[in-house]
Amino acid sequence: MERGLNLKNITMRILLLFFASIILFSGCGNTETASGIWVNNVEELNQVIANAQPGDEIIMANGEWNDLQIRFFGKGKEGQPITLRAETPGQVIIQGASDLKLGGEYLVVEGLFFTNGASPSETVIQFAIDSDNVANNCRVTNCVIEDYNKAQRNFQDLWVRFKGRHNQLDHCYLAGKSNRGPTIRIDLNGNENIKNYHKINHNHFGFRPPKGGASAETIQLGTSGTSMTPSHTIVSDNLFNRCNGEVEVISSKSNFNEFRNNVFYKSEGSLVTRHGNYCIVDGNYFIGDENNEQIGGIRLIGTGHWVTNNYFYNLKGKVFRSPLAVMNGIPKSPQNRYIQVTDVVVAYNSWINCTSPWQFGVGSNVDQKEVLPASEIRSETPIRTILANNVIYNAEGDDQPIVLHDSIDGIDFKSNVINNQGLGFRSVEGLKEVDFTIKEIEEYIWAPSNSIPDVEVYHGFEFDQITKDIFGNSRDENNSIGAVSGVSEKTPNIMDFSKYGPDWYDPAPADKEPKIHSVSTSEELIDAMSKVEDGDIVELTEARYELSKSLNIDKKLTITSADAKNRATIFYNGPDETSAFIMNPKGHLILKAAKLQGSGGNYAFTTLKENMSSLYNLTVQDSELSNFDFVLKAYKYSFSEYIKFESTVIKNCNNGLDLSSEDDDKGEYNAENIFIYDCRFENVDQNVIDYYRGGYDESTVGGNLVIKGSTFTGCGSKEKNCVLINTYGIINVDISESTFRNNNVKLVARLWGAKNNSESDNTIENSGKIITEQNLPLKLIY
């Protein structure tokens, strides 16, 4: 009996101790468990990081972490890293003024989601805490950075900065960067950062909107100042999905970098060996769009590059964005300009349905020596360069598959073939016309249906080191030309999103059905504008609406008359110098079948005057705009991907479309594309279209203005420079099938002959003339 009581007492004591321990641990902050050390706030996080040991796993609790500056310093070991991870990948939301810096050895960061904010420093993630504490053998994986932008596009930062050696970014998703600065940069200042062997692999680089000027690369490897240093960075197995920031998607500015097995999907730029030498570009896919001439391939500058096993499909880019652009160099070039192309190999590549796929001597500008200094004249043609075992196939004949901007005496062509469907062109020795067919392996991927006959593979110096084709097939036996050796049944599944980025993030969520908000009064219109969601439609059911305050557009939205034949009128009577619609970051307004009237001193559309952290878009269709001071006024640092007016009347306004605020002459501008189709401009006094880009930057290939089928009558009476359409510095201008009648100006337009400016089939009556100046004087940016 006594023994039984003792056992009962012992049992009770054990239970009391157990429950006491639970109470103790639940109230004492971070908790160490078998799975790791849990932290719930920044104080606990900092404390645990300070005491972390090799093999420790620090687990951040799910939830929102605001204004968090993580300084992750530690000394892990190979096989025993110190890991900082989310409790659940993607559910640790880091927002506000937050950043992450790593320093030390063998650290891993996993599963964090940066959004709804911007870095308070120069970087979002950096493989260094400061110059004395860089990271080595560290890894960031399974993370997302999305729309984490500074307040204005001129505010510069990087989303990921590499320093140290042997660091890795993998299986991450980065999208939406709109401000100045590359998304990722490899820094090579100092011996501790060279010979770094960094890896950037299996990431998904999502949409990067065009910035309107330079310094918007997705990846930049070094700078011109460190371009002669060895980097040995490997960029492999990534998806670059509509990375449209600027003309260089990847800008290699260091030595011995490798770019392997990446997919460039409809990205408006190229992989460019901008500075530095001895790069390997192997097994990459470049997928274009038949309706887009901005999508490029590979542009080569420098020495010793090997370009092998690459596949180019449906690319229509020109000159700097051509499928293969081999550039001219500058004699005795400084580091930040253009080194001559020498000792380059381009072998075993395939171009399928690409326009003018091979372009040589790109950038040759001897004809501009009167307006440019000698240090800017690119006159050194490529030498000791070979193109061998390549394939070109065109479903429709191309009258100029090879474009020679200068001499190709220093280039050898060996065992290359083309099927140009019998259409004649200026060929070169070493490019043979052969009749062969291709078959579709998967969407975007085509390869020869059978072995290409009567073509002997060229065996050049060290060509034996090209042991596999783009699919990984061996070239040791039955080797053949082109990116695909022989006839292959393999499907690479290049657009399988599961191969890139985090396993928890969906980069392509299903589109939501738009909601229609029918409004019959001004009050209902204002109320609907506060409730709409992205993609919704506001339907105007009555004849007239009056607004005295501006409407902010911060999402995609359509405003349209319910009856297109009886267009509703929106009368804006707000104060002078205010606008009916204010375009905010990510605003996209589609105004259809409506009349928009001002009171004389106010504006139809403006951007924010500051904090335009992302671009906006504007489309006006089948509408009428009248009695405004400005139809559109774009303030400094604002940017639009496209502005489109179609079948619209603009009349009785003091100013038209003013996109000229980027006046620092640094190569930037206010809109990438302006389209004017079938419109009427009547009695617009000045700045009918004022679209400006200043500064000489030869690698900037925008903006783009198209005016087609439009009429301009009685405009320009107060235009100070006596030019109706101002396009100074804009690279691409097309004015066609339009009528200019009784406009009080000396010139309809001054076009830039050295660039892609043209006019055709226009009627000009009592309106001056259109002139073309071959070379415009511009301020050098560099």
Side-chain angles (χ1 to χ4, degrees), residues 398-581:
D398 182 350
D399 60 3
Q400 203 173 17
I402 303 176
V403 179
L404 308 182
H405 299 273
D406 209 325
S407 169
I408 57 170
D409 289 347
I411 302 175
D412 290 329
F413 299 86
K414 304 287 185 181
S415 297
N416 303 287
V417 303
I418 181 173
N419 183 345
N420 203 40
Q421 306 301 331
L423 183 65
F425 64 95
R426 180 183 177 183
S427 189
V428 294
E429 185 178 353
L431 176 62
K432 183 178 181 180
E433 295 186 62
V434 176
D435 185 13
F436 63 93
T437 60
I438 59 173
K439 66 176 182 178
E440 187 175 24
I441 296 175
E442 67 180 52
E443 187 177 15
Y444 309 119
I445 308 300
W446 296 73
S449 306
N450 305 102
S451 296
I452 298 175
D454 304 322
V455 179
E456 183 177 348
V457 174
Y458 176 75
H459 298 284
F461 179 70
E462 292 188 334
F463 274 36
D464 58 330
Q465 296 183 18
I466 309 172
T467 59
K468 295 182 178 181
D469 73 357
I470 192 171
F471 293 163
N473 299 317
S474 174
R475 289 190 180 275
D476 291 341
E477 296 181 7
N478 301 317
N479 189 20
S480 62
I481 64 175
V484 180
S485 181
V487 179
S488 179
E489 301 299 328
K490 284 189 176 181
T491 55
N493 299 316
I494 63 170
M495 296 306 294
D496 177 1
F497 283 4
S498 68
K499 297 166 60 174
Y500 319 100
D503 55 11
W504 55 267
Y505 184 83
D506 182 6
D511 292 334
K512 181 180 68 68
E513 276 294 317
K515 182 179 179 181
I516 298 176
H517 305 258
S518 296
V519 298
S520 59
T521 67
S522 302
E523 292 75 20
E524 288 181 0
L525 172 59
I526 294 169
D527 183 59
M529 294 294 289
S530 68
K531 295 177 179 178
V532 292
E533 296 182 1
D534 195 60
D536 283 358
I537 299 169
V538 175
E539 189 177 67
L540 308 174
T541 60
E542 291 297 322
R544 185 175 175 86
Y545 302 79
E546 291 191 9
L547 299 175
S548 58
K549 293 183 179 180
S550 303
L551 297 177
N552 283 287
I553 307 297
D554 59 4
K555 55 182 67 68
K556 185 175 181 180
L557 169 69
T558 299
I559 299 177
T560 182
S561 296
D563 183 356
K565 293 182 180 179
N566 295 289
R567 293 179 292 184
T569 297
I570 300 174
F571 174 62
Y572 179 64
N573 60 6
D576 288 356
E577 300 184 4
T578 66
S579 63
F581 297 99

Side-chain angles (χ1 to χ4, degrees), residues 135-383:
N136 296 296
N137 300 294
C138 294
R139 179 186 182 199
V140 174
T141 184
N142 210 28
C143 293
V144 167
I145 309 175
E146 186 174 33
D147 297 332
Y148 210 65
N149 291 306
K150 299 280 191 182
Q152 293 185 167
R153 68 169 175 149
N154 62 308
F155 295 165
Q156 181 165 335
D157 72 351
L158 310 169
W159 277 8
V160 181
R161 172 187 274 155
F162 279 82
K163 287 179 173 287
R165 293 180 174 179
H166 298 284
N167 296 313
Q168 182 175 8
L169 180 79
D170 67 277
H171 295 92
C172 292
Y173 179 78
L174 294 85
K177 191 174 194 300
S178 58
N179 60 305
R180 184 177 180 86
T183 305
I184 296 175
R185 191 172 74 203
I186 312 295
D187 277 7
L188 292 139
N189 293 297
N191 287 331
E192 68 275 16
N193 300 313
I194 67 172
K195 299 179 184 177
N196 55 66
Y197 297 93
H198 296 315
K199 294 181 180 179
I200 301 171
N201 60 282
H202 293 95
N203 300 290
H204 186 159
F205 296 100
F207 177 63
R208 175 159 188 175
K211 173 184 158 289
S215 193
E217 304 92 337
T218 297
I219 301 179
Q220 180 182 326
L221 299 92
T223 63
S224 57
T226 59
S227 59
M228 293 298 105
T229 57
S231 182
H232 296 282
T233 294
I234 299 175
V235 180
S236 66
D237 300 285
N238 301 286
L239 173 62
F240 296 86
N241 185 356
R242 294 184 172 91
C243 296
N244 301 342
E246 59 141 272
V247 71
E248 298 177 8
V249 178
I250 292 180
S251 184
S252 183
K253 297 184 176 182
S254 47
N255 293 327
F256 305 110
N257 296 313
E258 299 182 21
F259 306 95
R260 297 182 181 273
N261 309 319
N262 300 288
V263 177
F264 297 82
Y265 178 76
K266 297 185 179 181
S267 290
E268 295 182 352
S270 302
L271 190 166
V272 184
T273 60
R274 183 62 185 86
H275 304 304
N277 307 299
Y278 305 107
C279 290
I280 294 173
V281 184
D282 180 81
N284 302 283
Y285 298 85
F286 297 84
I287 308 302
D289 184 328
E290 64 184 11
N291 298 315
N292 191 331
E293 295 184 354
Q294 309 304 318
I295 299 169
I298 295 173
R299 179 155 55 96
L300 296 173
I301 304 108
T303 292
H305 308 302
W306 280 61
V307 179
T308 56
N309 290 323
N310 298 288
Y311 176 86
F312 307 80
Y313 176 72
N314 214 15
L315 301 180
K316 310 301 178 184
K318 300 177 180 179
V319 196
F320 278 72
R321 280 181 164 131
S322 56
L324 175 68
V326 183
M327 289 201 65
N328 268 13
I330 295 173
K332 299 179 181 179
S333 174
Q335 278 186 308
N336 67 337
R337 304 315 295 131
Y338 288 86
I339 306 263
Q340 184 181 24
V341 172
T342 71
D343 305 292
V344 165
V345 172
V346 180
Y348 292 113
N349 303 284
S350 296
W351 287 266
I352 308 298
N353 294 335
C354 296
T355 301
S356 299
W358 292 358
Q359 301 204 19
F360 303 103
V362 169
S364 177
N365 61 348
V366 177
D367 60 338
Q368 293 181 278
K369 61 185 179 182
E370 293 181 0
V371 295
L372 293 174
S375 60
E376 288 295 320
I377 301 301
R378 295 181 292 274
S379 60
E380 284 193 323
T381 59
I383 59 173

Side-chain angles (χ1 to χ4, degrees), residues 560-561 563-568 591-595 619-625 644-649 677-679:
T560 182
S561 296
D563 183 356
K565 293 182 180 179
N566 295 289
R567 293 179 292 184
L591 181 67
K592 297 174 64 176
K595 294 181 179 180
T619 299
V620 181
Q621 297 175 328
D622 191 28
S623 295
E624 180 180 294
L625 312 178
K644 183 176 182 179
F645 287 79
E646 184 174 10
S647 302
T648 290
V649 176
Y677 296 137
D678 302 315
C679 291

Side-chain angles (χ1 to χ4, degrees), residues 42-107:
V42 64
E43 291 80 12
E44 294 174 10
L45 177 61
N46 290 337
Q47 180 184 7
V48 172
I49 288 174
N51 295 291
Q53 299 299 313
D56 281 355
E57 190 169 68
I58 305 166
I59 302 170
M60 296 177 67
N62 289 347
E64 296 178 352
W65 292 67
N66 296 300
D67 302 331
L68 179 67
Q69 286 90 57
I70 304 175
R71 300 299 178 260
F72 185 18
F73 182 84
K75 294 284 187 178
K77 294 181 180 179
E78 187 173 6
Q80 289 185 292
I82 302 171
T83 300
L84 174 65
R85 71 171 178 86
E87 175 186 351
T88 305
Q91 294 188 33
V92 171
I93 312 297
I94 299 179
Q95 55 191 18
S98 300
D99 61 9
L100 164 65
K101 291 179 168 58
L102 300 87
E105 301 277 347
Y106 294 102
L107 308 178

